[in-house]
Every structure is written in C-alpha cells, then in structure tokens.
Amino acid sequence: MKVYKFGGASINSKERIVNTAQIIKNNAGGLMVIISAMGKTTNALEKVAEAFFANDRDLALNLFFQIKQEHLSLAEELLTNKLPEAKDQLINFFTEAEWLMHDEPLKSFDFYYDQIVCTGELMSTFIMSLYLQELNINCCWIDVRDFIRTDNNFRNANIDLEFTKERIFNKVTDLLKQFDVVVTQGFIGATADNESTTLGREGSDYTAAVFANLLNSESVTIWKDVDAVMNADPRLHRDAITIPALSYHEVIEMAYYGAQVIHPKTIKPLQNKNIPLFVKSFLNPSLPGTVISEKETKSLPPIIVQKSNQVLINFQSKDFSFVDDNPMIQLREIFAQNKTHPHLSQHTAISLLCCFDNYPKKIDKVITESEVHFIVSIKRNLSLLTIRHYTESMIEKLRGGRVIVMEQRAPITIQMVLEEK
C-alpha cells in the first residue's frame, strides 16, 4: 500500500479538487490519502478561535458562518447524488464547533484553538471522499481522531504511538482490504477524553508518515504546487533548480537551517523503516519530482536558505560569569518562556550573540527579562544567509557586497548575518 498527502493548495477550488481526484483515481488500490483543510480555511478558523477567546461571540459566529457557506457552496458545485449526505455531515461538523462557542471560554486558548481549527480538515476530507465515490471509486472516509491518540498538549500534541499503532493496525488494515482508497485528515488527533488536538507545524505531513510507518507502507508521496524540492526559493532566485534525490540526513539538515522542505519529525518515522518519500507536483503529476531516502546523494548544488527581518542580540555578562553554565541556563529559560529560539548563536568569554526572527513583542520581552542579568544590545535590519555545499563564488554572489555582522563556517555549511542595504 501507499500513502498520499495533499495540502490545502491542492483543494482550494473546484478545479483543484477535480485535478486531485483524478490523481487519486489514477492510483487507486491500497491507497491511504491524507488531506489538509481547504486553502486558507485554517487561517480563517484561527480568527474564529481568536474572536471567541476574546469574548466576541457574535464576531466568532459570523466568521464561522462564512466558512460554513464556503464549504456548503463547494459541496453543491461538486456533488449531485451525494449532496444530501454531505450537507447532513457538514451540519454535524458545524454544530460541533458552534456548540462550543455558545459557552464562555473557561479553558486555555490552545484548547479552544484545537476544537475549532480541526473542523477544517473534517469538512474538506468528507467532501473529497463523497466526490471520489461519485467518480465510482471504491472509497471510504474515516475520522482520524478515532485512530490518532495524543496527549493534551494542545496545539502541539504528542502521539501515543502504542495506542495509535493498535487502532490503525487492527482497523485501517482491514479497511484497505475492503476499499481501494481510504481518506482521512492530517494535522489532528484526539485525547483519551475525546478532545480534539492538533499536531503542530507540518502536522499533516507527520500524520502521513505515522500512517506509513504503522502500516508498513511502500512509499509516501507529498503532493505540492512545485515541481520538486528546489535548491533555493524560486521567488528569490530565478536560477533555482530542482533536486532529483536527497537523503533523509540532508533534508533534516535543510529543515534545521530553515528551508521550507519537510519537517524533521516527518522524516523520522520514515527513516526508521526505510520508507521512501516522494515530493511531486499535483499540477504536473507526470514530472519525476524528488525522492528522499536513506541513499546518500553526491554532487548536490549549493542549497540556499535566506531569512530576512532578523535581529542580532548581544547578551553580555555583568560580572564576567560566562565561564560557568548558569548564565546560559538563565538565557535558555528566557528563550523558552517566550517561545523563541535563536537561528544562530556564537559564544565568547563574556557574551553570547544570538540571531532571531524579529517578532517585536517576543524580542522586547526577551530583552526586558534579560536585562536583569545581562548588558543587552541589539542590531536590527539584518538577514541570515545559509549556504550548504557552498563555493566561494556563490558566497560572494549572494553576499552582494553587504557587511557581514557575524559568520560561522564549517566544511559543508556557512551562515552569515548580513546588514541589509
């Protein structure tokens, strides 16, 4: 069997859904399909959660009404015989969220976020499954919350793999024998108390990897709106090229430095069972895409990651105490409490230099809390350039004459904090 994962861009219109359904139809048979929320639905549902938690119930319900209408309209465009069934189930999903929003918010924002945002995946997958059935594909829909058991760390839940393994192996295996295609959701799960949870960044990819691992899948394919994994962001680099093959190790390194590829937590379940991961284009499915596997790749092109809007903070000890570990422990606690993490850091005898994304509220809090123990200074209007498999000519070309504020160089990777012109 194989696992396919489709993101929100692949189903953000009737035309895209028709296209995605054709890819599924062409490959039906022992196929597990993981689908995200449609288009910008997650962003819209986040605004619903924020309004509700701010005690603006009317705004929350009005925003949610717009999302309801979009999905009902889509179902009407796509479906004929299955339309009544779609409307009945969509109303159930709507009610699940609206029932919550008629109470006062007494729990954490993260709890309400997960209960509301999970609706996006449920709606999109149910509509898609019925459309596939209207195309005479032997297909079924399952609620992933019945299979993916998590803890209650809302918005970044951890999967209980033992429970999940038992549920998936005992039930999904049989479904894949009965049906050519099984459709379910990415990104979401549920606690032992049946409270919805979300799995954090790149959660849908991770869901696909977990199913692949537990079902001993032949492969996983993640369908994107790009031809393959590229060596640079094509919006910034016109000469960016596709990379036909990458190792698990290389992808983890790329993700660590900020490349928008595959999150490391997605790679691990696949690496553990040596399951290849394909990244392909849903717009041009005949293209070969990129294969990610345990096979080490040679002669890779320079891989470029650029982060703009960066700040460099210098934390200098007031009493020259950086020679022991206590100041570092204090700083790590401050970073963790403010949910920020340096992309690059450099230690000296009495100070620590750290490069961060410039989120003003977080950065201001880090500075204020750090000034109790340290002399703090900051440089703004910077960018962070990372090049893996660099050449000197590539460094000079991408630097473009900008002043280097900080640099770290290793045999394979160079990172430079640069002043913007």
Side-chain angles (χ1 to χ4, degrees), residues 32-33 35 125 128-129 132 139-142 181-185:
M32 185 89 207
V33 178
I35 302 177
T125 53
M128 174 61 87
S129 68
L132 292 171
C139 165
C140 75
W141 176 90
I142 60 174
V181 177
V182 176
V183 174
T184 195
Q185 309 78 42

Side-chain angles (χ1 to χ4, degrees), residues 6-25:
F6 293 92
S10 68
I11 55 166
N12 66 2
S13 65
K14 176 184 176 181
E15 292 72 27
R16 289 270 176 98
I17 289 174
V18 170
N19 177 72
T20 293
Q22 192 60 49
I23 293 172
I24 294 170
K25 185 175 183 179

Side-chain angles (χ1 to χ4, degrees), residues 54-69:
N55 280 309
D56 195 340
R57 184 183 303 165
D58 289 343
L59 176 60
L61 290 171
N62 285 336
L63 291 171
F64 191 65
F65 176 79
Q66 295 172 26
I67 297 167
K68 289 165 54 176
Q69 292 304 114

Side-chain angles (χ1 to χ4, degrees), residues 110-111 113-115 145 148-161 164 187-192 195-204 206-207 210 263 265:
D110 289 349
F111 169 80
Y113 176 99
D114 283 3
Q115 310 319 300
R145 296 174 298 178
I148 299 284
R149 168 68 56 83
T150 74
D151 61 14
N152 62 356
N153 186 29
F154 297 104
R155 292 191 74 183
N156 195 23
N158 301 293
I159 295 177
D160 178 344
L161 285 172
T164 300
F187 182 56
I188 66 177
T191 68
E195 295 171 325
S196 299
T197 56
T198 61
L199 305 180
R201 182 184 167 205
E202 305 300 330
S204 292
Y206 183 46
T207 303
V210 168
H263 195 278
K265 73 178 182 182

Side-chain angles (χ1 to χ4, degrees), residues 16-80:
R16 289 270 176 98
I17 289 174
V18 170
N19 177 72
T20 293
Q22 192 60 49
I23 293 172
I24 294 170
K25 185 175 183 179
N26 291 343
N27 296 277
L31 187 62
M32 185 89 207
V33 178
I34 314 294
I35 302 177
S36 300
M38 182 178 69
K40 300 295 183 181
T41 300
T42 298
N43 293 340
L45 287 166
E46 286 175 346
K47 288 183 171 59
V48 173
E50 289 165 2
F52 167 71
F53 197 71
N55 280 309
D56 195 340
R57 184 183 303 165
D58 289 343
L59 176 60
L61 290 171
N62 285 336
L63 291 171
F64 191 65
F65 176 79
Q66 295 172 26
I67 297 167
K68 289 165 54 176
Q69 292 304 114
E70 289 172 4
H71 285 80
L72 287 169
S73 296
L74 179 66
E76 289 171 354
E77 281 188 76
L78 281 168
L79 304 173
T80 51

Side-chain angles (χ1 to χ4, degrees), residues 1 41 59 63 114 144 148 163 165 171 183 208 210 230 240 244 267 301 331 336 347 350 366 384 388 392:
M1 59 85 60
T41 300
L59 176 60
L63 291 171
D114 283 3
V144 79
I148 299 284
F163 178 92
K165 178 179 180 180
K171 296 194 175 183
V183 174
V210 168
M230 306 191 79
I267 295 296
L331 283 174
H347 208 301
I350 60 170
V366 167
L384 176 61
R388 283 182 60 76
E392 292 301 324

Side-chain angles (χ1 to χ4, degrees), residues 118-135:
C118 74
T119 313
E121 273 73 15
L122 296 169
M123 294 186 294
S124 66
T125 53
F126 197 75
I127 292 171
M128 174 61 87
S129 68
L130 293 183
Y131 181 62
L132 292 171
Q133 289 174 23
E134 288 206 350
L135 295 179

